[in-house]
mmCIF file of all heavy atoms in Angstrom:
data_model
loop_
_atom_site.group_PDB
_atom_site.id
_atom_site.type_symbol
_atom_site.label_atom_id
_atom_site.label_comp_id
_atom_site.label_asym_id
_atom_site.label_seq_id
_atom_site.Cartn_x
_atom_site.Cartn_y
_atom_site.Cartn_z
ATOM 1 N N ALA A 21 77.928 2.783 156.160
ATOM 2 C CA ALA A 21 78.047 3.471 157.447
ATOM 3 C C ALA A 21 79.437 4.029 157.699
ATOM 4 O O ALA A 21 79.614 4.905 158.548
ATOM 5 C CB ALA A 21 77.664 2.510 158.577
ATOM 6 N N GLY A 22 80.438 3.514 156.975
ATOM 7 C CA GLY A 22 81.812 3.963 157.189
ATOM 8 C C GLY A 22 82.452 3.367 158.423
ATOM 9 O O GLY A 22 83.262 4.014 159.089
ATOM 10 N N LEU A 23 82.137 2.106 158.717
ATOM 11 C CA LEU A 23 82.605 1.471 159.948
ATOM 12 C C LEU A 23 83.486 0.252 159.677
ATOM 13 O O LEU A 23 83.488 -0.706 160.453
ATOM 14 C CB LEU A 23 81.406 1.064 160.810
ATOM 15 C CG LEU A 23 80.669 2.210 161.501
ATOM 16 C CD1 LEU A 23 79.418 1.691 162.206
ATOM 17 C CD2 LEU A 23 81.582 2.916 162.504
ATOM 18 N N GLN A 24 84.260 0.286 158.598
ATOM 19 C CA GLN A 24 85.134 -0.848 158.284
ATOM 20 C C GLN A 24 86.210 -1.048 159.344
ATOM 21 O O GLN A 24 86.688 -2.158 159.539
ATOM 22 C CB GLN A 24 85.807 -0.635 156.917
ATOM 23 C CG GLN A 24 84.854 -0.568 155.736
ATOM 24 C CD GLN A 24 84.458 0.861 155.394
ATOM 25 O OE1 GLN A 24 84.288 1.698 156.271
ATOM 26 N NE2 GLN A 24 84.328 1.149 154.099
ATOM 27 N N GLY A 25 86.600 0.014 160.000
ATOM 28 C CA GLY A 25 87.578 -0.083 161.067
ATOM 29 C C GLY A 25 89.012 0.027 160.598
ATOM 30 O O GLY A 25 89.308 0.003 159.405
ATOM 31 N N VAL A 26 89.899 0.129 161.584
ATOM 32 C CA VAL A 26 91.325 0.301 161.332
ATOM 33 C C VAL A 26 92.098 -0.618 162.265
ATOM 34 O O VAL A 26 91.756 -0.739 163.443
ATOM 35 C CB VAL A 26 91.757 1.766 161.573
ATOM 36 C CG1 VAL A 26 93.253 1.928 161.353
ATOM 37 C CG2 VAL A 26 90.973 2.717 160.671
ATOM 38 N N GLY A 27 93.135 -1.272 161.763
ATOM 39 C CA GLY A 27 94.038 -2.036 162.602
ATOM 40 C C GLY A 27 93.452 -3.313 163.169
ATOM 41 O O GLY A 27 92.401 -3.807 162.735
ATOM 42 N N TYR A 28 94.142 -3.854 164.171
ATOM 43 C CA TYR A 28 93.748 -5.114 164.795
ATOM 44 C C TYR A 28 92.756 -4.819 165.906
ATOM 45 O O TYR A 28 93.113 -4.479 167.029
ATOM 46 C CB TYR A 28 94.972 -5.849 165.346
ATOM 47 C CG TYR A 28 94.753 -7.334 165.538
ATOM 48 C CD1 TYR A 28 95.269 -8.244 164.632
ATOM 49 C CD2 TYR A 28 94.012 -7.823 166.610
ATOM 50 C CE1 TYR A 28 95.057 -9.616 164.788
ATOM 51 C CE2 TYR A 28 93.796 -9.180 166.781
ATOM 52 C CZ TYR A 28 94.325 -10.068 165.863
ATOM 53 O OH TYR A 28 94.109 -11.414 166.020
ATOM 54 N N GLY A 29 91.447 -4.933 165.595
ATOM 55 C CA GLY A 29 90.399 -4.560 166.530
ATOM 56 C C GLY A 29 90.265 -5.530 167.687
ATOM 57 O O GLY A 29 90.532 -6.723 167.568
ATOM 58 N N MET A 30 89.800 -4.989 168.823
ATOM 59 C CA MET A 30 89.590 -5.803 170.027
ATOM 60 C C MET A 30 88.178 -5.642 170.572
ATOM 61 O O MET A 30 87.346 -6.509 170.423
ATOM 62 C CB MET A 30 90.626 -5.408 171.093
ATOM 63 C CG MET A 30 92.066 -5.711 170.727
ATOM 64 S SD MET A 30 92.444 -7.477 170.674
ATOM 65 C CE MET A 30 92.146 -7.925 172.368
ATOM 66 N N GLY A 31 87.887 -4.484 171.184
ATOM 67 C CA GLY A 31 86.623 -4.316 171.880
ATOM 68 C C GLY A 31 85.767 -3.204 171.317
ATOM 69 O O GLY A 31 86.199 -2.418 170.461
ATOM 70 N N VAL A 32 84.530 -3.117 171.820
ATOM 71 C CA VAL A 32 83.597 -2.082 171.385
ATOM 72 C C VAL A 32 82.734 -1.662 172.569
ATOM 73 O O VAL A 32 82.367 -2.488 173.410
ATOM 74 C CB VAL A 32 82.724 -2.575 170.210
ATOM 75 C CG1 VAL A 32 81.946 -3.826 170.578
ATOM 76 C CG2 VAL A 32 81.780 -1.476 169.727
ATOM 77 N N ALA A 33 82.428 -0.363 172.630
ATOM 78 C CA ALA A 33 81.524 0.173 173.643
ATOM 79 C C ALA A 33 80.562 1.127 172.956
ATOM 80 O O ALA A 33 80.986 2.057 172.264
ATOM 81 C CB ALA A 33 82.309 0.898 174.742
ATOM 82 N N ALA A 34 79.259 0.909 173.138
ATOM 83 C CA ALA A 34 78.229 1.716 172.484
ATOM 84 C C ALA A 34 77.523 2.595 173.510
ATOM 85 O O ALA A 34 77.163 2.131 174.593
ATOM 86 C CB ALA A 34 77.213 0.821 171.780
ATOM 87 N N ALA A 35 77.320 3.862 173.160
ATOM 88 C CA ALA A 35 76.546 4.796 173.986
ATOM 89 C C ALA A 35 76.451 6.129 173.250
ATOM 90 O O ALA A 35 77.232 6.409 172.332
ATOM 91 C CB ALA A 35 77.179 4.993 175.359
ATOM 92 N N ASP A 36 75.528 6.954 173.693
ATOM 93 C CA ASP A 36 75.320 8.279 173.112
ATOM 94 C C ASP A 36 76.138 9.293 173.899
ATOM 95 O O ASP A 36 75.648 9.914 174.839
ATOM 96 C CB ASP A 36 73.822 8.610 173.157
ATOM 97 C CG ASP A 36 73.489 9.977 172.590
ATOM 98 O OD1 ASP A 36 74.394 10.636 172.044
ATOM 99 O OD2 ASP A 36 72.324 10.386 172.720
ATOM 100 N N TYR A 37 77.408 9.470 173.515
ATOM 101 C CA TYR A 37 78.312 10.286 174.328
ATOM 102 C C TYR A 37 78.011 11.780 174.255
ATOM 103 O O TYR A 37 78.379 12.541 175.155
ATOM 104 C CB TYR A 37 79.776 10.020 173.954
ATOM 105 C CG TYR A 37 80.234 10.647 172.655
ATOM 106 C CD1 TYR A 37 80.677 11.964 172.615
ATOM 107 C CD2 TYR A 37 80.241 9.921 171.473
ATOM 108 C CE1 TYR A 37 81.110 12.535 171.419
ATOM 109 C CE2 TYR A 37 80.661 10.477 170.279
ATOM 110 C CZ TYR A 37 81.091 11.787 170.261
ATOM 111 O OH TYR A 37 81.515 12.355 169.074
ATOM 112 N N ASP A 38 77.353 12.238 173.179
ATOM 113 C CA ASP A 38 77.077 13.674 173.037
ATOM 114 C C ASP A 38 75.605 14.022 173.238
ATOM 115 O O ASP A 38 75.186 15.154 172.970
ATOM 116 C CB ASP A 38 77.568 14.196 171.687
ATOM 117 C CG ASP A 38 76.932 13.466 170.504
ATOM 118 O OD1 ASP A 38 76.263 12.427 170.724
ATOM 119 O OD2 ASP A 38 77.116 13.929 169.368
ATOM 120 N N ASN A 39 74.820 13.059 173.718
ATOM 121 C CA ASN A 39 73.425 13.304 174.093
ATOM 122 C C ASN A 39 72.585 13.877 172.955
ATOM 123 O O ASN A 39 71.675 14.685 173.172
ATOM 124 C CB ASN A 39 73.347 14.245 175.311
ATOM 125 C CG ASN A 39 73.936 13.634 176.569
ATOM 126 O OD1 ASN A 39 73.887 12.421 176.759
ATOM 127 N ND2 ASN A 39 74.510 14.467 177.423
ATOM 128 N N ASP A 40 72.867 13.405 171.723
ATOM 129 C CA ASP A 40 72.093 13.900 170.579
ATOM 130 C C ASP A 40 71.002 12.916 170.153
ATOM 131 O O ASP A 40 70.308 13.140 169.163
ATOM 132 C CB ASP A 40 73.005 14.214 169.398
ATOM 133 C CG ASP A 40 73.660 12.969 168.798
ATOM 134 O OD1 ASP A 40 73.552 11.877 169.397
ATOM 135 O OD2 ASP A 40 74.309 13.098 167.741
ATOM 136 N N GLY A 41 70.857 11.819 170.907
ATOM 137 C CA GLY A 41 69.801 10.862 170.614
ATOM 138 C C GLY A 41 70.214 9.717 169.728
ATOM 139 O O GLY A 41 69.370 8.875 169.385
ATOM 140 N N TYR A 42 71.496 9.620 169.370
ATOM 141 C CA TYR A 42 71.976 8.535 168.515
ATOM 142 C C TYR A 42 73.175 7.845 169.169
ATOM 143 O O TYR A 42 74.091 8.515 169.679
ATOM 144 C CB TYR A 42 72.362 9.067 167.134
ATOM 145 C CG TYR A 42 71.188 9.575 166.331
ATOM 146 C CD1 TYR A 42 70.834 10.922 166.345
ATOM 147 C CD2 TYR A 42 70.408 8.691 165.584
ATOM 148 C CE1 TYR A 42 69.745 11.381 165.624
ATOM 149 C CE2 TYR A 42 69.315 9.143 164.857
ATOM 150 C CZ TYR A 42 68.988 10.491 164.881
ATOM 151 O OH TYR A 42 67.898 10.946 164.169
ATOM 152 N N GLU A 43 73.175 6.511 169.106
ATOM 153 C CA GLU A 43 74.226 5.732 169.748
ATOM 154 C C GLU A 43 75.525 5.783 168.945
ATOM 155 O O GLU A 43 75.534 5.527 167.735
ATOM 156 C CB GLU A 43 73.785 4.271 169.900
ATOM 157 C CG GLU A 43 72.524 4.088 170.732
ATOM 158 C CD GLU A 43 72.713 4.541 172.160
ATOM 159 O OE1 GLU A 43 73.479 3.882 172.895
ATOM 160 O OE2 GLU A 43 72.107 5.566 172.552
ATOM 161 N N ASP A 44 76.607 6.104 169.622
ATOM 162 C CA ASP A 44 77.932 6.179 169.019
ATOM 163 C C ASP A 44 78.736 4.939 169.389
ATOM 164 O O ASP A 44 78.329 4.142 170.238
ATOM 165 C CB ASP A 44 78.635 7.452 169.503
ATOM 166 C CG ASP A 44 77.757 8.691 169.360
ATOM 167 O OD1 ASP A 44 77.435 9.049 168.220
ATOM 168 O OD2 ASP A 44 77.374 9.279 170.392
ATOM 169 N N LEU A 45 79.891 4.771 168.768
ATOM 170 C CA LEU A 45 80.730 3.595 169.002
ATOM 171 C C LEU A 45 82.165 3.990 169.317
ATOM 172 O O LEU A 45 82.743 4.851 168.641
ATOM 173 C CB LEU A 45 80.742 2.690 167.765
ATOM 174 C CG LEU A 45 79.460 1.934 167.420
ATOM 175 C CD1 LEU A 45 79.626 1.211 166.093
ATOM 176 C CD2 LEU A 45 79.100 0.939 168.523
ATOM 177 N N TYR A 46 82.734 3.334 170.321
ATOM 178 C CA TYR A 46 84.161 3.443 170.603
ATOM 179 C C TYR A 46 84.761 2.061 170.394
ATOM 180 O O TYR A 46 84.302 1.072 170.994
ATOM 181 C CB TYR A 46 84.403 3.916 172.028
ATOM 182 C CG TYR A 46 85.853 4.227 172.330
ATOM 183 C CD1 TYR A 46 86.443 5.395 171.858
ATOM 184 C CD2 TYR A 46 86.633 3.356 173.082
ATOM 185 C CE1 TYR A 46 87.765 5.700 172.136
ATOM 186 C CE2 TYR A 46 87.962 3.646 173.365
ATOM 187 C CZ TYR A 46 88.522 4.820 172.886
ATOM 188 O OH TYR A 46 89.845 5.117 173.154
ATOM 189 N N VAL A 47 85.761 1.966 169.533
ATOM 190 C CA VAL A 47 86.350 0.680 169.164
ATOM 191 C C VAL A 47 87.818 0.663 169.577
ATOM 192 O O VAL A 47 88.584 1.554 169.198
ATOM 193 C CB VAL A 47 86.221 0.423 167.651
ATOM 194 C CG1 VAL A 47 86.826 -0.923 167.284
ATOM 195 C CG2 VAL A 47 84.751 0.472 167.229
#
């Protein structure tokens, strides 16, 4: 998926920000 991440992670928020029908992630 390409979601290994970068740096010292803390939180996550999931939602479909561009209304294309697929859930995106903000980390």
Side-chain angles (χ1 to χ4, degrees):
L23 287 174
Q24 297 94 323
V26 178
Y28 201 103
M30 295 291 297
V32 58
D36 179 6
Y37 76 85
D38 58 350
N39 295 329
D40 67 351
Y42 293 94
E43 300 297 292
D44 311 295
L45 290 174
Y46 188 76
V47 181

